[in-house]
Amino acid sequence: MKKSLVAVSVVVALGVVWSGASWLTGKKIEDNLNEYVKNANSELKNAFPDSGIELQAKDFKRGIFSSDVNLVLNIKKGVKNVGIEPNEEVIFKSNIDHGPFPLENLKKFNLMPKMATLHAELEKNKELEKLFDITDGKSLLNLNTSVGYTGNLSTDIELIPINHEEAQKDGEKNVFSFSGAKIVAETSRDLSSFSFKIKSDELSITTPAKNEAIILKDINFTGDNKKGNFDFYIGNQNYNIGEITVRGKNNEESSLKGFNIASDLSEDKNNLNIKLAYSVDGMIVKNINLGSGKFTLKMEKLDGPSVRKFTQAYNDDVAEALSSNELSSDVTTYAILNNAHLLFNKSPQLSISPFSWKNSKGESMVDFKLALQNIPENKDTLNTMPPEEMIRTLVQDLSLRINIPKAMLIESIAQADELDGKDKATAEAQATLSVQMIAKGGEKFITDKDDVLGLNFNYSNDKVELNGKESSLHQFLLDNGLADSYDGTDGEQNQHDETEKPVAE
């Protein structure tokens, strides 16, 4: 009997302790939630300064073991360009299980102590009525977040499968099909770092009556980022789609296989370095295999504070256009060009290497590098500079190397002609003639050696080297009709070096 009383007493004591700990945890969660919301709004304001987008925690109802809250995303100013009216809201109906042993975790026999777990779903309202029609009345996403005692978040998001038909004005139907997606994210308490993984099997939009379709398969996105010195998230991101298929009229089909975009943003004390790499493992158009390609762009030694100013100015211009229903490609282009001078501060470097395309006959390669001078403080002077002075002012070093096998180029031109309707034999014959004309007509700038068309150009310290021949910058521009002679006559002395350097292999 005594043992039974002791056992009961222990259970009751544990229950009281757990209840008290859960209640205290619930109180702490409310404080932490406000901190998360504050940090999230700070990031939203940095990214969209004039949009008025704000996250709010409303109707918090705290219990002993769980609490309820609505997380509301409010678009205060609206976005006329996409039909979002001012003060439209997206509501996430959320339930929070308190730690140290959240009930949701206990159901899964997970006994690791946590501050809380949160489950959230979209709540149907007027703004989301169309979305809920598409998802047959279900929340598009189910979000489950685990909150550690350090405040870090581990989140699993499930996007539900969708199969939706919609009639068009002409009576035909479009079918939107989505296999669903899994998203895993890790976020620090202050949002200074985050990582994510997104995986989905398939997404498609089809018009069955016309047998037209756009299909994406094997979607995998990943990222790992942290806040850097200049208030940018640095790190790497990778976006991969296994296959993209477009089917059009007459059952003509085009596809990209192994399409990948990778980005890497790094920094040192003063500079940002950006690397963007694009690749495709295969391109097929109308059953013609066009080959595979790679393109890597690097921007290095970008002045961090100047890039920050560029980003803020660009975001301000775009946000203003969005709020006034004037966003267009012209507006975004203007926003870039109007602020582009900020990116040229402190002598940045640009390179494209490799830029290649490979087909069954060979592989072409382009390698480009450019090191800039520090841009003049009075940028208006650039508008009146002649080409020669502008090059000396802006360019420190420049190099361009191109190698294109003639057989590969013939194949590419012939395939383009085949796609335009020519038969293969005619296309190949005309492509061969075109390449011969290119080689002959471009003798001034390109080499033709071992059936490879090439160009090797370098500029540095006022000297130009083209395919092994060296001259001054002025003489090079003069030879190509881009500069006047020093004395205004045609009698200027030749500034070519008498020696000729061997062409780099």
Side-chain angles (χ1 to χ4, degrees), residues 59-285:
D59 305 323
F60 193 99
K61 298 175 182 177
R62 186 172 69 249
I64 295 176
F65 296 108
S66 66
S67 299
D68 294 321
V69 65
N70 287 333
L71 298 175
V72 181
L73 192 65
N74 184 285
I75 301 93
K76 290 185 175 180
K77 295 184 179 180
V79 184
K80 293 181 180 179
N81 201 61
V82 292
I84 298 177
E85 297 296 326
N87 292 314
E88 286 197 0
E89 294 183 339
V90 177
I91 302 172
F92 296 87
K93 183 172 60 177
S94 307
N95 174 262
I96 303 171
D97 282 338
H98 304 167
F101 302 105
L103 294 175
E104 191 63 31
N105 282 9
L106 292 178
K107 292 177 185 178
K108 301 174 183 177
F109 300 99
N110 183 348
L111 301 181
M112 290 293 293
K114 295 289 182 181
M115 183 186 294
T117 60
L118 178 146
H119 176 79
E121 297 180 3
L122 288 172
E123 184 173 89
K124 185 176 181 179
N125 59 9
K126 184 180 69 174
E127 289 84 353
L128 298 182
E129 189 173 347
K130 177 63 177 177
L131 176 61
F132 273 82
D133 287 343
I134 293 173
T135 59
D136 295 327
K138 299 176 183 178
S139 171
L140 173 64
L141 60 83
N142 292 287
L143 180 150
N144 291 286
T145 294
S146 177
V147 186
Y149 277 98
T150 60
N152 294 342
L153 308 178
S154 297
T155 301
D156 293 325
I157 302 173
E158 179 185 1
L159 299 182
I160 66 172
I162 297 172
N163 190 34
H164 177 72
E165 292 187 4
E166 188 163 312
Q168 302 301 300
K169 291 181 179 179
D170 57 6
E172 294 182 349
K173 290 183 178 180
N174 285 343
V175 178
F176 175 76
S177 182
F178 177 48
S179 64
K182 302 286 187 182
I183 303 172
V184 178
E186 302 284 340
T187 310
S188 65
R189 175 175 183 162
D190 59 358
L191 303 184
S192 63
S193 64
F194 71 93
S195 63
F196 64 86
K197 294 180 181 178
I198 303 173
K199 182 175 177 57
S200 179
D201 292 333
E202 186 171 326
L203 182 152
S204 66
I205 301 173
T206 61
T207 306
K210 295 181 178 178
N211 199 28
E212 297 176 350
I214 299 174
I215 305 169
L216 281 65
K217 293 183 178 180
D218 298 327
I219 302 166
N220 284 281
F221 299 161
T222 62
D224 191 358
N225 305 271
K226 65 179 182 178
K227 187 67 73 72
N229 297 328
F230 309 107
D231 212 25
F232 290 104
Y233 283 102
I234 62 173
N236 59 77
Q237 299 183 28
N238 195 293
Y239 303 92
N240 186 78
I241 301 177
E243 184 174 357
I244 302 173
T245 301
V246 179
R247 188 166 57 243
K249 295 179 180 179
N250 303 319
N251 289 326
E252 292 179 351
E253 192 169 286
S254 303
S255 68
L256 294 176
K257 296 185 184 296
F259 178 71
N260 183 263
I261 301 175
S263 69
D264 192 335
L265 178 60
S266 61
E267 67 178 11
D268 55 33
K269 184 178 180 181
N270 300 309
N271 302 313
L272 285 168
N273 302 299
I274 302 171
K275 178 182 177 182
L276 297 171
Y278 303 82
S279 65
V280 58
D281 294 338
M283 178 185 288
I284 299 174
V285 179

Side-chain angles (χ1 to χ4, degrees), residues 216-487:
L216 281 65
K217 293 183 178 180
D218 298 327
I219 302 166
N220 284 281
F221 299 161
T222 62
D224 191 358
N225 305 271
K226 65 179 182 178
K227 187 67 73 72
N229 297 328
F230 309 107
D231 212 25
F232 290 104
Y233 283 102
I234 62 173
N236 59 77
Q237 299 183 28
N238 195 293
Y239 303 92
N240 186 78
I241 301 177
E243 184 174 357
I244 302 173
T245 301
V246 179
R247 188 166 57 243
K249 295 179 180 179
N250 303 319
N251 289 326
E252 292 179 351
E253 192 169 286
S254 303
S255 68
L256 294 176
K257 296 185 184 296
F259 178 71
N260 183 263
I261 301 175
S263 69
D264 192 335
L265 178 60
S266 61
E267 67 178 11
D268 55 33
K269 184 178 180 181
N270 300 309
N271 302 313
L272 285 168
N273 302 299
I274 302 171
K275 178 182 177 182
L276 297 171
Y278 303 82
S279 65
V280 58
D281 294 338
M283 178 185 288
I284 299 174
V285 179
K286 296 181 181 179
N287 293 320
I288 298 177
N289 189 344
L290 300 181
S292 59
K294 298 176 182 178
F295 176 90
T296 300
L297 170 66
K298 291 182 182 179
M299 292 173 279
E300 299 175 299
K301 296 185 178 180
L302 294 168
D303 181 59
S306 297
V307 176
R308 182 62 188 161
K309 289 178 182 177
F310 168 84
T311 304
Q312 290 175 330
Y314 172 81
N315 287 342
D316 288 345
D317 288 344
V318 172
E320 184 179 350
L322 268 173
S323 62
S324 61
N325 200 26
E326 294 179 356
L327 184 64
S328 65
S329 58
D330 290 340
V331 171
T332 54
T333 299
Y334 172 79
I336 292 172
L337 295 178
N338 190 43
N339 302 295
H341 64 275
L342 293 167
L343 299 177
F344 297 116
N345 288 338
K346 306 293 179 68
S347 305
Q349 297 178 359
L350 171 72
S351 69
I352 298 174
S353 179
F355 178 21
S356 68
W357 192 262
K358 183 178 182 180
N359 61 24
S360 62
K361 300 298 183 181
E363 183 174 15
S364 64
M365 297 288 293
V366 176
D367 187 287
F368 172 78
K369 293 182 175 65
L370 171 64
L372 294 169
Q373 307 269 27
N374 193 16
I375 195 168
E377 288 189 18
N378 183 4
K379 300 167 185 63
D380 292 336
T381 60
L382 296 173
N383 297 327
T384 58
M385 280 186 186
E388 185 173 350
E389 185 182 354
M390 184 176 290
I391 292 170
R392 287 198 176 98
T393 300
L394 296 179
V395 180
Q396 190 175 75
D397 299 291
L398 185 152
S399 69
L400 173 64
R401 185 174 180 179
I402 301 174
N403 284 301
I404 306 176
K406 289 201 286 188
M408 179 268 173
L409 185 57
I410 290 171
E411 173 94 335
S412 295
I413 295 174
Q415 288 177 330
D417 287 343
E418 281 187 75
L419 292 175
D420 281 340
K422 294 181 181 177
D423 65 86
K424 186 172 183 178
T426 301
E428 288 179 349
Q430 292 185 354
T432 301
L433 181 60
S434 296
V435 170
Q436 290 173 350
M437 294 174 64
I438 291 171
K440 185 67 176 176
E443 286 179 337
K444 187 174 181 180
F445 296 103
I446 63 176
T447 59
D448 185 355
K449 184 178 181 181
D450 299 328
D451 284 329
V452 175
L453 300 179
L455 182 148
N456 194 353
F457 177 91
N458 293 281
Y459 167 76
S460 182
N461 297 322
D462 207 41
K463 292 288 186 180
V464 172
E465 182 187 332
L466 176 62
N467 299 327
K469 294 181 179 179
E470 192 174 273
S471 65
S472 70
L473 172 63
H474 179 81
Q475 185 66 49
F476 178 80
L477 295 175
L478 187 68
D479 291 346
N480 293 283
L482 298 173
D484 296 325
S485 61
Y486 287 121
D487 56 7

